[in-house]
Amino acid sequence: MSATLQRCPGLYCGRQRLENNTWSECGACPRGFRVIESYECTRCKDDLDAYSWFYLGFMAMLPLMMHCFFIDLDAKDRKFSRKQLILTSCALAETIIAALFSILLMEPMGQFRLYACPVNKFSDWYTLFYNPTPNYEKLLHCTQEAVYPLQTIVLVFYFLCLINMCVIRPLVSTACKIRGKAPPIYAALYFLPLLTFLHALACGLIFYSFPYLSIAMSMISNAIHYSMKLDQSFKALVLPFPSIFYILTVRFTDPAEFRDAEARSN
């Protein structure tokens, strides 16, 4: 029946099947749906691909890296102190909890998997700019999340990170008797909204460039981390864990791997 649907204007306008087995007027598809070539809004039922999972992992690492940066910046000890260890572990726990709940809140709810609509082109991230004006008369609003759930899940994740930090961090600091001011928490109240704004503005650009950004950010963060250490001795700086982590994850961040995989799929 969908083959007989009349054409809808624009790239993202579609029709929904109504309860009386008829079709709606052309418009935006509901959340979790996407228009297909027959101009029908179909539910997103594909499993999230590996590249998209790595993208979500990259977005989840950003607040954790920022937390660690400001915890290091606030440290006054020459060596890795008990306070740093507790706050870093707390930031890691907050991020993991937020990530798990973000997945559970998306379709299918309550499961550690995600239904998704495939990302076909760059414009899928910015449907706001592709609302058509039929016959140059009235603007037809067809803005939707064509890349469901890659936009909303990150926003939910950042919100949960903020909630977790405001709830968990003070409790842990009180229980572990960590004294002093809390500049890392104050900093997070700034960088979490900034990350949210960055995602809303440049999510499409980040999606296609995050393998390159991962390599650049890992080099910059290591350089900043080591330069901030007061103890510049060889024993204090050379640790096996960064090298082991790099060796284990480098193949996942090699941009050539994603290009080859995309070429094979096409």
Side-chain angles (χ1 to χ4, degrees):
M1 183 175 179
S2 60
T4 63
L5 291 179
Q6 294 183 355
R7 182 183 184 278
C8 288
L11 295 176
Y12 300 101
C13 296
R15 300 177 185 271
Q16 306 174 47
R17 187 187 292 272
L18 303 178
E19 295 181 356
N20 57 2
N21 208 28
T22 59
W23 295 94
S24 67
E25 297 294 329
C26 293
C29 294
R31 183 172 179 270
F33 287 74
R34 176 168 178 165
V35 65
I36 58 177
E37 294 181 355
S38 60
Y39 306 105
E40 176 186 356
C41 292
T42 58
R43 184 178 294 275
C44 300
K45 282 290 187 179
D46 295 342
D47 287 328
L48 201 66
D49 57 30
Y51 185 90
S52 298
W53 275 113
F54 286 127
Y55 164 74
L56 294 180
F58 174 80
M59 299 303 292
M61 288 296 295
L62 290 180
L64 179 59
M65 290 179 59
M66 296 296 289
H67 278 305
C68 294
F69 171 77
F70 285 105
I71 290 172
D72 275 355
L73 189 64
D74 182 57
K76 300 297 188 297
D77 301 321
R78 294 180 62 87
K79 296 182 179 180
F80 197 73
S81 64
R82 172 179 173 271
K83 177 182 177 181
Q84 285 179 273
L85 177 61
I86 293 175
L87 292 180
T88 302
S89 301
C90 190
L92 177 62
E94 294 164 6
T95 304
I96 293 176
I97 293 172
L100 294 178
F101 273 93
S102 298
I103 296 174
L104 293 175
L105 290 174
M106 296 292 149
E107 292 291 339
M109 293 188 65
Q111 300 183 30
F112 287 105
R113 56 182 299 197
L114 292 174
Y115 288 154
C117 287
V119 181
N120 297 325
K121 48 190 174 182
F122 182 74
S123 61
D124 291 346
W125 293 88
Y126 302 100
T127 59
L128 174 66
F129 301 107
Y130 293 89
N131 291 323
T133 308
N135 300 321
Y136 301 97
E137 295 176 352
K138 183 179 179 181
L139 181 66
L140 187 59
H141 296 280
C142 295
T143 303
Q144 59 192 277
E145 187 180 9
V147 294
Y148 175 87
L150 297 180
Q151 287 178 314
T152 52
I153 191 173
V154 176
L155 299 177
V156 171
F157 168 73
Y158 287 155
F159 175 74
L160 293 178
C161 282
L162 182 62
I163 297 299
N164 289 342
M165 183 197 66
C166 294
V167 174
I168 298 176
R169 195 81 60 92
L171 295 177
V172 172
S173 299
T174 302
C176 298
K177 298 180 180 180
I178 298 178
R179 300 178 180 179
K181 298 180 181 179
I185 294 181
Y186 299 147
L189 296 178
Y190 287 96
F191 72 69
L192 282 174
L194 287 176
L195 288 177
T196 302
F197 176 76
L198 178 65
H199 170 70
L201 188 66
C203 51
L205 296 173
I206 298 173
F207 180 80
Y208 288 104
S209 62
F210 84 87
Y212 305 93
L213 294 175
S214 300
I215 298 173
M217 291 176 63
S218 64
M219 296 174 61
I220 295 173
S221 61
N222 279 330
I224 294 175
H225 172 74
Y226 290 138
S227 66
M228 291 172 57
K229 288 296 181 182
L230 298 177
D231 188 354
Q232 292 289 316
S233 64
F234 180 82
K235 182 179 179 181
L237 292 179
V238 178
L239 298 174
F241 300 106
S243 300
I244 295 174
F245 177 79
Y246 175 79
I247 293 172
L248 293 177
T249 60
V250 64
R251 65 189 184 94
F252 298 120
T253 57
D254 183 5
E257 293 288 338
F258 299 112
R259 290 197 297 268
D260 293 342
E262 184 177 357
R264 289 194 297 268
S265 63
N266 294 333

